[in-house]
Amino acid sequence: MAKPRTASPRRLPALRRPRLPPPLLSLPPLLLLLLLLLPLPAPSLGLGHSAELAFSVEPNDDIANPGQPIVLGCKAEGTPPVQVSWRKNGAELPEGPHTTLLANGSLLIHHFRLEQGGGPSDEGDYECVAQNRFGLLVSRKARIQAATMSDFHVHPQAVMGEEGGVARFQCQIHGLPKPLITWEKNRVPINTDHERYTLLPKGVLQITGLRTEDSGVFHCVASNIASVRVSHGARLTVSGSGPGTYKEPTILVGPENLTLTVHQTAVLECVATGNPRPIVSWSRLDGRPIGVEGIQVLGTGNLIISDVTVQHSGVYVCAANRPGTRVRRTAQGRLVVQAPAEFVQHPQSISRPAGTTAMFTCQAQGEPPPHVTWLKNGQVLGAGGHVRLKNNNSTLSISGVGPEDEAIYQCVAENIAGSSQASARLTVLWAEGLPGPPRNVRAVSVSSTEVRVSWSEPLAHTKEIIGYVLHIRKAADSPKLEYQEAVSKSTFQHLVRDLEPSTAYSFYIKAYTPRGASLASVPTLASTLGEAPVPPPLSVRLLGSSSLQLLWKPWPRLAQHNGGFKLFYRPVSAASFTGPILLPGTVSSYNLSQLDPSTVYEVKLLAYNQHGDGNATVRFVSLKGASERTGIVIGIHIGVTCIIFCVLFLLFGQRGRVLLCKDVENQLSPPQGPRSQRDPGILALNGVSRGAGGQLGRDEKHVELEQLFPTAGAAGAAGAAGQPGSRPTDPGAPAPCEETQLSMVQLQGFNLVAGRTTEATSPCAGPGSIPAPQDVGSGLLSEGQTTQPPAVAAPQ
């Protein structure tokens, strides 16, 4: 039979009847809330020999053989008399000839039945129910299933292997309980103690180091309490193999993904072949160590993990390594270990005075995380009224407890791996001499925000009353939104303020004494009076010279009271408004267009409901300023665009001029030849001096200068004619100072600033002349300077 899930029973401590403190005389009403918050000591029941109702034995999951008897164990302890009954699938199981309730509370099913032809079946979920005068307790669920055995859905297949190799047979079959798998060779059971034969629990037979005598026909045999099945035969043929034939390591079968429950055994298969025989090793993908406790290697590489825990979950990697090399093959499989729900914090039995709040806490863990539900005397308890569930149902809170709340409360934690339950009892302290509930509670609307609540004293035990507490909430709200207001003991009416107009409220009241609270009065309802809405906040946003947008906050409550918004507008010079424009309460904006830009407008917005129109919010809007501001903004944008365009134009224009100067230099430079043949006196532009030893044809240069700078070239020619000392053989050569005029081409608004400068000046430089830069190519153009560019240096 399958191993059932178990959970240790928990017995709760016995409680004694509380001994109430003496009356507290003359307690001021302001200490009322403080008194309510003080914890009271847990009382006992005065019955030292009795125990809290609890299970010492609970039913477990089981598998029954059809037609055979089965006993479901149950034993409850507690204050007698304790009555035990059973439920099946949530419904009470009636006694009859087919079942018998044993004296200890266990259930005997005489002949377990399977559903056949529409007849009844005994399969299902069973619960043991124990009850005494303090409440009712339900055990955890026990699933009872019938033993079955299906046909093989995977039969072993024929295998052909070589001597020294590996053979693997597999069969698969489903059954309850899980079938036991054995193997036969030629109809004779195989001795699995043989070191070369490995039988895995999942129905796999591995044979390593194959020999010729291993050949034969193999059968898989599956058996459980329901039946025995034999698979088809599969033949193993072993042939010879050439010695020394090299084969790469190969993983024939790698580990499968497994999902198990704690305490089960995990079998991770890994079958590898190769020549020489590969070495099989295991590791975790996350790098954590596998450990050694409960770990063993079965056969040549199968990993067995006994008594698995949640910490064993992970991805396992099988590696087949060729000896002496780094050649390897890998395969991996994921192991998921589930854990049934178990409690880390049990609920504790408590006693609370009537009218106060009782709270139970229950925390459970498991994998996957369990779901928690609460039962009250065996019935599912949901949130609502004065019952609240918090922190993913781990906390149960019961406010304003009364005699009807006395019960046994159970916390049931359940996940896919199993369930567990823990219980606790609530005792409501009802001291003698407590007053009854306040009488004649009435609520009358005074205004749209106020309700007057009045009441009469309880009928008895009024001398110890220290005050009243009025409980208030909207009738449509959840009880958890309730709030309270304390009232003096000499006051029998209270004005509740700051309420919402046209809203229904619920009121009830309790009387408090040092011994505890009275029962709650009968709740009463009252609705506040209605009123016209207040003026809505209104803002205006200009969209253009002839349109604007009105903005306000939506009021959905207006739609509940047949209300909405009304919008009016007009030029201030007009006698009447345009409107009303009716808008629903959910709307928050409206656009006005086709307005006169030169006119000031008056805009008025008000809210209305069934009680009439509220006061209006008025705004005066001038569109003229919007038009002017729009023009200014557009003008600024245009101006900035023009400035950017001009800067870019000047920058790219100056760049073109610099490139032009470089072209001139290239045209004035002689053809490049060998270093020994170059003329050291080359004409340079922008202050780059020329060597004194070079001679060029003056007529040719003069023609080039005239083509590039006609006016400067003419001036240079005239100067050459009148310069004493000019060479007769070269009448067109320009004089040094006259050549200086050649570079006086103004770059409008820009200046050529050299990256590197020198103290040398041109031969004709006078006082205040500008030093000539050495390297024109490194110059930068800067805007706004007017310094003239340097001159063309003449030959020395």
Side-chain angles (χ1 to χ4, degrees), residues 38-59:
L38 289 176
L40 296 178
S44 58
L45 295 176
L47 301 173
H49 63 278
S50 63
E52 193 77 23
L53 185 63
F55 290 105
S56 57
V57 176
E58 293 186 77

Side-chain angles (χ1 to χ4, degrees), residues 684-739:
L685 288 175
N686 294 335
V688 178
S689 62
R690 173 180 176 178
Q695 299 293 333
L696 292 175
R698 304 299 184 184
D699 294 338
E700 181 179 356
K701 294 180 183 178
H702 184 71
V703 172
E704 292 176 354
L705 292 174
E706 284 184 341
Q707 291 175 352
L708 293 173
F709 304 101
T711 58
Q723 176 66 30
S726 5
R727 298 182 182 180
T729 58
D730 194 9
C737 291
E738 291 163 354
E739 283 190 3

Side-chain angles (χ1 to χ4, degrees), residues 220-258:
C220 173
V221 181
S223 60
N224 66 5
I225 60 175
S227 181
V228 177
R229 296 280 191 272
V230 180
S231 71
H232 299 162
R235 180 173 296 277
L236 170 62
T237 303
V238 181
S239 60
S241 176
T245 303
Y246 171 76
K247 293 183 179 180
E248 287 282 346
T250 304
I251 295 180
L252 297 180
V253 180
E256 298 177 345
N257 295 333
L258 296 177

Side-chain angles (χ1 to χ4, degrees), residues 441-498:
V441 180
R442 296 181 180 180
V444 179
S445 297
V446 177
S447 67
S448 59
T449 58
E450 296 175 330
V451 171
R452 187 179 304 278
V453 181
S454 60
W455 62 93
S456 301
E457 276 189 329
L459 290 176
H461 307 292
T462 60
K463 293 182 179 181
E464 295 185 3
I465 293 178
I466 59 176
Y468 298 91
V469 173
L470 180 62
H471 297 252
I472 309 160
R473 69 176 175 91
K474 293 181 182 178
D477 284 352
S478 169
K480 64 182 180 181
L481 299 178
E482 176 186 282
Y483 65 97
Q484 298 87 30
E485 293 184 5
V487 184
S488 170
K489 67 176 182 178
S490 59
T491 303
F492 301 103
Q493 64 176 5
H494 183 69
L495 185 64
V496 184
R497 296 182 172 87
D498 299 326

Side-chain angles (χ1 to χ4, degrees), residues 359-362 374 388-397:
M359 185 174 297
F360 297 99
T361 300
C362 164
W374 288 87
R388 304 179 189 176
L389 296 175
K390 300 180 291 185
N391 302 326
N392 292 327
N393 289 359
S394 63
T395 301
L396 170 64
S397 175

